[in-house]
Amino acid sequence: MCRPLARRRARIGRKGRPMVERNAEARAADNAAQIDALVNEKYRYGFVTDIESDFAPKGLSEDIVRFISAKKNEPQWLLDWRLKAYRLWLSLGPEEPAWAKISYPKIDYQDAYYYAAPKSTGPKSLDEVDPELLKTYEKLGIPLAERAALAGIAVDAVFDSVSVATTFKDKLASMGVIFCSISEAVREHPELVRKYLGSVVPYADNFFATLNSAVFTDGSFVYIPKGVRCPMELSTYFRINAAKTGQFERTLIIADEGSHVSYLEGCTAPMRDENQLHAAVVELVALDDAEIKYSTVQNWYPGDAEGKGGIYNFVTKRGACRGRNSKISWTQVETGSAITWKYPSCILQGDHSVGEFYSIAITNNRQQADTGTKMIHIGKNTSSRIISKGISAGRSSATYRGLVRVLPGAEGARNHTQCDSLLIGPNCAAHTVPYIESRNPSAHIEHEATTSKISDDQLFYCRSRGIGTEDAVALIVNGFCREVLQVLPMEFAVEAQKLVGVSLEGSVG
Amino acid sequence: MLEIKNLHATVDGREILNGLDLTIGAGQVHAVMGPNGSGKSTLSYVLAGREGYQVTEGSVTFEGRDLLALKPEERARAGIFLAFQYPVEVPGVASATFLKTAVNAVRKARGEKEYDAFEFLKLAKAKREALGISEEMMKRALNVGFSGGEKKRNEVMQMMLLEPKFMVLDETDSGLDVDALRVVAAGVNAMRRADRSMLVITHYQRLLDYITPDVVHILSRGRIVRSGGPDLARELEAKGYAGVMPVAAA
């Protein structure tokens, strides 16, 4: 979530000192103070925007798939692809995957809308965007008007099923960087979309990815040309607004040879009593010597303390390191959603390619998370690093599920996995399920795991120094997550630290 | 400043403090000495408000307020500080971050302006240097992998930065060699002021060679059985606990 970035930047720079003068110690201390100030917030993105929307008729059918495709004026090949996916999905039962450690009532796929778009949108300039939408994003802390926009960050704003605005598009275009909604990319850059769409996550990949392939509505598209270092952070802000609507976005990022991009995504939704489905697909492709850093702060509405409502976040994210020396890093801070089911993965195809996965997953109340990663080593001397920090509180359950697979040709592959769980209170659960498969004797694979609790001693020690219980929990949890927070882009890290405190509110008696 | 009256406290249903009376005036340093199991640590935890230490009878008044009605963090903000016998490890939280959070929590409660990172580090520098604490140590996770001496010096640094009105030193001398003891004691002595009081809890007279108390109390089976001047500590050192106890208590 990229909410108060602009404000924070201004604050950090208030003394007019360049950032480099500030040492890490000062920054850490400063960050902790910001947590203090903000830790007492509740879920503050739960509002609903009152805006007239176009809906597809309720339910899912071949007609709905055609409706979505027609709405977006898509070429025939894409409609055909969607229909192939839809027919496959139908043949799946619909029978969802059952291996994850999550439980929820059966989803009625006919009782939801698959397309909702504010009536006023269309491909237009920022000046023409509905003021109600601008206000919404303003309220979320993301001004879209460029004069007020976040310095150094270009934003694509996705509202329900459509992208409503993308900032700094022209500036990026001057360097050859394409950053737009995927619908626009289908129209403007069909050759790129056709070449890469489904090339990392095929439409037949899994139940939710297949569903997404059939009904995906919008999402972001990024192409970084050869040798270009993207001059600003790219960011997509996903907002679910309409009731009974699923969000099925699709994001595709291609980093051509020798290029570099850092991409952030944030998500929020109104507080509602019914569950809403979010089934996204993200595909990343890194060619020779290219690097993609993908960071997520997921703060979908988690449901109330009794587990009522909240988003089902069933997401497929995968990156292909196709080129030599390419690198893909996933960093995620998962605090929201009633249920999280996601495994951002790397296929390390190019020799010497590198995959990284840094994760903080926090569950409180009745939340459930089954999350982790897959690192598939195919090329020679490929390496991967996994650091997972799971924090469970309340009656929640957090599972780390990870696969490290080394194929016979992956001479000299290396992996290091560190998987730590922290329990808060007596009623939560943490599980670690690592799968390790090595078919090459030269591979080095390390797996470390710990489970700990926040002890009464630690809490008392903090309190005896004047730090209140909730602040103490936030402080200790932030310490536990430090290795992951460190790899987030800096402004994002502050936001994430704060979120850690907020989502654990009320977790200690 | 602090008045303890007829204090009874239990831990796991076992009575540890058994009618303890103690009055400490502003600017005074009192030492409480006692054998193992006499209730020394229980007294310090009761004053700091640790859960599980149940007060069943009696009262503790701090500057006219009912101390026992306050939560641990409220006591700290009111000016009570406990230097732990065994400081707790907090992995991942840099010592500097912890301290700044604590100092600002206390300042906020007092209606004072919170320090930003620069102000805080400047303030901390003078204190840590006096105690021989390196900048590197401030960046390390709080108490994790600290030696016994480092932990105790860190406690004293926290105390200096929090500027409490009433300090409880719980066996601060344990685990210290003579050199470290000198440094720590110098730090504590530098804090002595007319409006600040101290309760020094210790097993041995050794610490009292460096921190001279105004009054020495002997604690036995949960109550004060004898009080006197600094000489009492020396008498205790020479004769042992059995030798200094009044006949009825021994």
Side-chain angles (χ1 to χ4, degrees):
Chain A
M1 197 186 37
C2 8
R3 195 175 48 78
L5 301 185
R7 203 176 68 221
R8 261 168 228 302
R9 247 171 205 262
R11 222 204 285 175
I12 286 161
R14 69 189 176 284
K15 292 221 157 116
R17 293 168 202 250
M19 299 295 300
V20 284
E21 271 188 29
R22 296 170 54 92
N23 59 29
E25 194 179 343
R27 258 202 327 260
D30 211 25
N31 288 348
Q34 291 176 352
I35 299 172
D36 278 356
L38 296 157
V39 76
N40 288 318
E41 294 175 14
K42 295 264 176 219
Y43 192 79
R44 48 182 291 183
Y45 309 109
F47 63 90
V48 180
T49 305
D50 186 12
I51 196 161
E52 241 191 302
S53 288
D54 263 338
F55 285 95
K58 206 179 206 180
L60 184 52
S61 65
E62 213 166 290
D63 284 345
I64 294 292
V65 176
R66 287 177 194 281
F67 174 95
I68 293 168
S69 186
K71 268 277 173 198
K72 296 183 177 289
N73 293 319
E74 284 175 356
Q76 188 63 38
W77 65 264
L78 189 49
L79 174 62
D80 292 344
W81 191 72
R82 285 176 179 277
L83 289 172
K84 256 196 305 193
Y86 177 69
R87 286 165 196 151
L88 173 64
W89 184 80
L90 267 190
S91 74
L92 295 174
E95 205 60 50
E96 294 142 31
W99 43 262
K101 202 166 174 51
I102 54 178
S103 65
Y104 53 94
K106 206 155 176 51
I107 298 172
D108 181 356
Y109 290 93
Q110 297 306 331
D111 188 33
Y113 295 99
Y114 288 81
Y115 182 86
K119 270 203 170 132
S120 50
T121 30
K124 49 174 83 164
S125 78
L126 280 167
D127 307 339
E128 295 167 275
V129 175
D130 187 318
E132 204 51 48
L133 284 172
L134 289 181
K135 251 194 269 167
T136 299
Y137 282 88
E138 203 81 42
K139 216 163 147 183
L140 295 168
I142 307 173
L144 295 176
E146 282 187 13
R147 61 194 147 69
L150 312 172
I153 301 173
V155 179
D156 182 24
V158 177
F159 191 88
D160 290 331
S161 304
V162 291
S163 163
V164 294
T166 308
T167 61
F168 295 111
K169 234 153 100 173
D170 297 342
K171 184 176 175 200
L172 290 168
S174 70
M175 301 191 69
V177 173
I178 304 170
F179 179 41
C180 63
S181 73
I182 195 136
S183 309
E184 189 180 333
V186 169
R187 288 192 303 271
E188 308 290 327
H189 311 282
E191 67 302 333
L192 281 173
V193 177
R194 197 167 183 177
K195 182 169 174 192
Y196 290 105
L197 186 77
S199 75
V200 188
V201 180
Y203 72 87
D205 192 78
N206 69 70
F207 181 86
F208 295 110
T210 302
L211 175 62
N212 174 286
S213 302
V215 299
F216 77 89
T217 43
D218 226 332
S220 299
F221 176 83
V222 175
Y223 172 77
I224 314 289
K226 275 186 196 171
V228 170
R229 219 185 147 85
C230 189
M232 47 174 65
E233 305 268 358
L234 303 183
S235 164
T236 303
Y237 193 94
F238 295 101
R239 174 74 178 168
I240 295 179
N241 186 63
K244 286 207 172 264
T245 302
Q247 192 174 50
F248 304 92
E249 87 265 2
R250 185 126 197 153
T251 294
L252 176 57
I253 299 176
I254 301 138
D256 213 325
E257 292 170 21
S259 70
H260 179 284
V261 62
S262 171
Y263 178 92
L264 323 167
E265 71 174 350
C267 343
T268 59
M271 295 160 79
R272 289 211 174 84
D273 284 349
E274 85 254 17
N275 297 105
Q276 281 179 283
L277 179 61
H278 172 254
V281 171
V282 175
E283 297 178 276
L284 312 182
V285 178
L287 302 181
D288 285 358
D289 303 304
E291 181 175 345
I292 302 174
K293 187 173 161 75
Y294 192 107
S295 314
T296 304
V297 172
Q298 185 265 109
N299 188 18
W300 295 118
Y301 177 54
D304 68 11
E306 302 310 313
K308 198 163 189 207
I311 302 291
Y312 291 164
N313 191 35
F314 298 159
V315 169
T316 306
K317 290 183 168 176
R318 194 173 303 153
C321 284
R322 296 233 167 111
R324 278 179 66 87
N325 295 318
S326 56
K327 178 175 176 184
I328 290 179
S329 284
W330 296 100
T331 304
Q332 58 171 22
V333 179
E334 302 282 318
T335 62
S337 297
I339 303 175
T340 296
W341 178 97
K342 77 180 248 203
Y343 314 89
S345 305
C346 296
I347 299 168
L348 303 170
Q349 210 174 330
D351 292 347
H352 303 279
S353 61
V354 177
E356 294 175 334
F357 174 74
Y358 300 100
S359 171
I360 297 171
I362 299 180
T363 54
N364 196 0
N365 298 317
R366 303 266 176 176
Q367 281 176 278
Q368 308 172 56
D370 192 305
T371 184
T373 184
K374 290 188 274 186
M375 294 289 173
I376 314 293
H377 292 257
I378 300 171
K380 290 188 181 58
N381 299 314
T382 47
S383 67
S384 61
R385 181 160 194 229
I386 299 170
I387 298 185
S388 164
K389 304 279 180 174
I391 298 115
S392 15
R395 300 184 164 273
S396 70
S397 150
T399 301
Y400 167 82
R401 189 182 301 277
L403 168 68
V404 176
R405 176 179 286 158
V406 177
L407 297 182
E411 205 58 31
R414 284 178 175 272
N415 162 265
H416 178 81
T417 300
Q418 187 190 328
C419 193
D420 300 322
S421 305
L422 184 69
L423 302 170
I424 303 175
N427 298 317
C428 56
H431 309 273
T432 302
V433 192
Y435 304 82
I436 298 169
E437 302 172 11
S438 177
R439 302 215 179 87
N440 186 307
S442 69
H444 283 254
I445 301 173
E446 300 165 1
H447 181 94
E448 282 177 43
T450 65
T451 303
S452 53
K453 277 190 77 161
I454 292 189
S455 70
D456 292 345
D457 283 351
Q458 286 172 336
L459 282 180
F460 174 64
Y461 189 66
C462 293
R463 293 178 73 192
S464 77
R465 298 299 180 253
I467 304 169
T469 308
E470 292 198 335
D471 291 359
V473 171
L475 189 68
I476 294 167
V477 171
N478 270 311
F480 174 76
C481 300
R482 187 151 76 159
E483 289 153 287
V484 176
L485 291 171
Q486 273 168 350
V487 299
L488 280 171
M490 176 152 146
E491 293 83 348
F492 227 36
V494 174
E495 187 69 6
Q497 284 193 320
K498 188 198 87 193
L499 201 53
V500 166
V502 175
S503 46
L504 287 171
E505 223 172 78
S507 58
V508 175
Chain B
M1 176 172 275
L2 187 87
E3 195 174 13
I4 303 174
K5 272 191 193 160
N6 189 32
L7 188 65
H8 290 254
T10 59
V11 180
D12 292 332
R14 225 154 36 92
E15 182 154 82
I16 308 285
L17 298 184
N18 176 28
L20 186 141
D21 292 295
L22 186 60
T23 302
I24 301 175
Q28 290 187 331
V29 174
H30 287 226
V32 167
M33 305 181 74
N36 286 328
S38 58
K40 297 192 301 294
S41 284
T42 299
L43 174 60
S44 63
Y45 285 143
V46 166
L47 292 177
R50 183 172 195 145
E51 273 172 41
Y53 290 74
Q54 204 71 41
V55 173
T56 50
E57 210 183 319
S59 66
V60 179
T61 316
F62 174 62
E63 293 188 315
R65 290 169 82 182
D66 176 8
L67 189 70
L68 300 177
L70 302 179
K71 293 179 189 167
E73 59 269 32
E74 292 167 341
R75 298 181 194 198
R77 293 167 194 167
I80 302 274
F81 184 95
L82 168 62
F84 281 56
Q85 182 180 2
Y86 303 109
V88 180
E89 299 188 357
V90 187
V93 178
S95 193
T97 307
F98 176 82
L99 263 171
K100 178 167 171 276
T101 308
V103 168
N104 278 338
V106 169
R107 287 182 69 85
K108 196 175 162 190
R110 292 178 187 161
E112 294 165 347
K113 190 181 130 339
E114 292 175 52
Y115 291 125
D116 69 25
F118 288 102
E119 290 165 342
F120 174 75
L121 289 174
K122 211 173 123 191
L123 181 81
K125 192 165 185 266
K127 314 276 185 199
R128 69 172 170 75
E129 282 177 351
L131 291 163
I133 292 173
S134 65
E135 193 179 347
E136 185 271 327
M137 194 171 132
M138 299 284 286
K139 292 178 188 168
R140 277 158 62 188
L142 183 63
N143 292 324
V144 178
F146 285 21
S147 70
E150 285 174 329
K151 283 183 183 170
K152 295 298 170 74
R153 275 185 284 156
N154 195 273
E155 290 292 290
V156 174
M157 177 173 62
Q158 293 182 21
M159 189 159 77
M160 290 174 147
L161 284 165
L162 289 169
E163 301 185 322
K165 295 177 190 158
F166 184 81
M167 297 136 61
V168 182
L169 306 179
D170 188 5
E171 309 222 9
T172 295
D173 51 333
S174 68
L176 290 187
D177 59 35
V178 179
D179 293 335
L181 183 61
R182 276 203 190 107
V183 173
V184 165
V188 173
N189 284 328
M191 292 191 71
R192 290 179 82 151
R193 264 184 7 196
D195 57 350
R196 182 178 282 149
S197 314
M198 267 181 233
L199 180 62
V200 180
I201 292 174
T202 183
H203 230 64
Y204 305 106
Q205 195 243 336
R206 189 174 75 139
L207 178 64
L208 304 181
D209 285 342
Y210 298 94
I211 303 172
T212 315
D214 299 304
V215 187
V216 175
H217 307 276
I218 308 288
L219 185 68
S220 172
R221 297 184 194 164
R223 61 204 302 178
I224 304 285
V225 292
R226 213 182 137 185
S227 301
D231 290 349
L232 181 56
R234 280 188 279 277
E235 190 188 332
L236 173 69
E237 190 75 359
K239 297 188 188 164
Y241 282 106
V244 297
M245 301 264 200
V247 181

